[in-house]
Amino acid sequence: MPLNLPQNLPAVDLLKKEHIFVMDSLRASEQDIRPLRVVVLNLMPLKIKTETDLTRLLSNSPLQVELDFMKIKEHRSKNTPMEHMAAFYRSFDEMKDRYYDGMIVTGAPVELMRFDEVTYWEELKRIFNWARTHVTSSIYICWAAQAGLYHFYGIPKYDLPAKKFGVFKHTMNDPYLPIFRGFDDEFYVPHSRHTEIRRDDILKTPALTLLSESEDAGVYMAMARGGREFFITGHSEYAPNTLHDEYMRDRQKGLPIAAPSNYYPDDDPAQPPVMRWRSHANMLFINWLNYYVYQETPYRIEDIRNLGDLGQNK
């Protein structure tokens, strides 16, 4: 089954050009199937690009997925047209009575700020708490992973001496966990961040399980509540040119930035980047949808409020 997207969302036409099967809500309404309901809290500045990156991955599954987009009520996007936000995004207040099989919270360009300095921190905490009773399984990406780990478990973030920027090799601590089905022993993930979380803080927190890390990039993935929460520090969803675009943007701004590691052939920015993470990214989101959302969520979506930890370490 394809991804069920709102009519006229720009990602629909973009993905059809890539021969990815998506359908809008009008056609999906003709199928007598309860789709999985997934909400995306999109905190990234280039929202249409992030929408397309995520829908590209979520559509690569036999499951029908209905996608909604959530926004922070008091935050106005500077890089996305107001008409787009009004057409496709709803505030938490408008959505808080709904239940979702899955939730994805993206990164945000605020990582050098203290959490309590972020203007929407209080609203974000309410959304995080709401997810525990209204969502079967949630993925927190990059800064959102740091924010979730800090809010729920008191895990601090630390400034890095230089931006962690590039595509890095990772390994699994428990390769038999369903989230890793189909993974190679080593896999690559893009990272783009100025801060980190540390393995020692996770290992001394009994509620957390450290699932994957990198010799060069550090902690990549942690899990809580048997798979109801995943915290992912990298950007598996990135398109092939995203790191290049970030690199050129920072250079044009005169910022101190090195070329992304393990990205260009011979580390030469004049050459097209090598896409090393597509297979892993697809498997990550397929496995999450299948094993931690579809196989765990109740048919009556309102029964999510009665779920405990998934206890899915098998």
Side-chain angles (χ1 to χ4, degrees):
M1 293 296 171
L3 195 66
N4 170 11
L5 298 173
Q7 279 187 282
N8 302 317
L9 186 77
V12 174
D13 288 335
L14 292 171
L15 295 179
K16 284 181 178 178
K17 292 177 182 177
E18 298 178 22
H19 303 289
I20 293 175
F21 186 26
V22 296
M23 65 181 177
D24 61 32
S25 55
L26 180 62
R27 181 177 174 190
S29 66
E30 299 172 358
Q31 295 193 339
D32 188 19
I33 296 170
R34 168 161 121 59
L36 296 176
R37 297 180 63 185
V38 174
V39 59
V40 176
L41 175 57
N42 189 356
L43 304 174
M44 293 289 274
L46 301 177
K47 297 196 185 303
I48 295 175
K49 180 176 179 56
T50 302
E51 293 161 13
T52 306
D53 289 344
L54 290 173
T55 54
R56 179 182 292 113
L57 294 170
L58 293 172
S59 65
N60 195 26
S61 164
L63 302 168
Q64 186 184 134
V65 178
E66 180 181 285
L67 205 58
D68 288 339
F69 293 98
M70 182 185 291
K71 65 181 178 181
I72 295 295
K73 183 177 180 180
E74 301 300 331
H75 183 72
R76 179 174 177 178
S77 177
K78 300 176 182 178
N79 300 285
T80 305
M82 292 178 59
E83 295 81 4
H84 182 89
M85 299 300 296
F88 301 114
Y89 282 76
R90 298 291 176 267
S91 70
F92 173 59
D93 286 343
E94 296 174 276
M95 304 173 79
K96 64 184 180 181
D97 294 329
R98 302 182 187 181
Y99 292 85
Y100 287 91
D101 303 294
M103 181 175 78
I104 299 170
V105 186
T106 73
V110 294
E111 60 173 317
L112 290 176
M113 302 171 65
R114 294 200 325 261
F115 293 117
D116 59 4
E117 290 177 335
V118 176
T119 57
Y120 49 81
W121 179 240
E122 291 303 318
E123 182 176 0
L124 193 64
K125 290 194 298 182
R126 290 195 296 273
I127 295 171
F128 285 178
N129 292 337
W130 165 87
R132 286 196 151 183
T133 57
H134 287 72
V135 179
T136 297
S137 182
S138 301
I139 288 181
Y140 299 86
I141 297 174
C142 199
W143 179 80
Q146 297 178 344
L149 286 167
Y150 177 76
H151 172 62
F152 291 128
Y153 304 104
I155 302 293
K157 63 183 173 75
Y158 303 88
D159 291 347
L160 289 167
K163 185 177 183 179
K164 186 62 62 179
F165 191 45
V167 183
F168 301 99
K169 186 186 299 182
H170 296 69
T171 56
M172 301 165 284
N173 294 342
D174 184 354
Y176 297 105
L177 206 66
I179 195 69
F180 295 131
R181 296 276 166 84
F183 275 41
D184 292 324
D185 292 340
E186 297 176 337
F187 57 94
Y188 289 86
V189 181
H191 288 259
S192 178
R193 50 187 167 81
H194 296 273
T195 56
E196 67 175 353
I197 54 175
R198 295 180 179 168
R199 74 187 312 268
D200 289 346
D201 291 327
I202 292 177
L203 293 177
K204 68 185 181 184
T205 305
L208 295 171
T209 303
L210 179 59
L211 299 184
S212 176
E213 49 196 324
S214 165
E215 185 175 335
D216 296 316
V219 170
Y220 168 58
M221 186 190 304
M223 179 181 75
R225 305 176 68 213
R228 293 199 68 184
E229 294 163 353
F230 288 95
F231 304 96
I232 296 175
T233 66
H235 283 286
S236 306
E237 80 284 1
Y238 266 8
N241 288 323
T242 301
L243 290 179
H244 174 77
D245 293 342
E246 291 185 8
Y247 174 57
M248 299 307 295
R249 176 201 66 198
D250 288 354
R251 286 191 60 186
Q252 290 169 5
K253 290 181 177 179
L255 299 175
I257 183 68
S261 302
N262 311 313
Y263 184 57
Y264 301 110
D266 301 321
D267 292 326
D268 179 6
Q271 299 192 52
V274 177
M275 178 67 163
R276 303 174 186 267
W277 63 94
R278 182 182 289 113
S279 296
H280 149 260
N282 280 296
M283 291 306 305
L284 173 67
F285 282 88
I286 288 171
N287 289 342
W288 174 66
L289 281 175
N290 183 23
Y291 296 111
Y292 296 90
V293 180
Y294 173 68
Q295 294 193 26
E296 296 292 345
T297 200
Y299 185 80
R300 277 177 32 90
I301 198 166
E302 298 83 3
D303 291 340
I304 289 171
R305 61 179 175 263
N306 300 321
L307 286 178
D309 295 355
L310 297 186
Q312 184 156 207
N313 292 323
K314 60 185 179 183

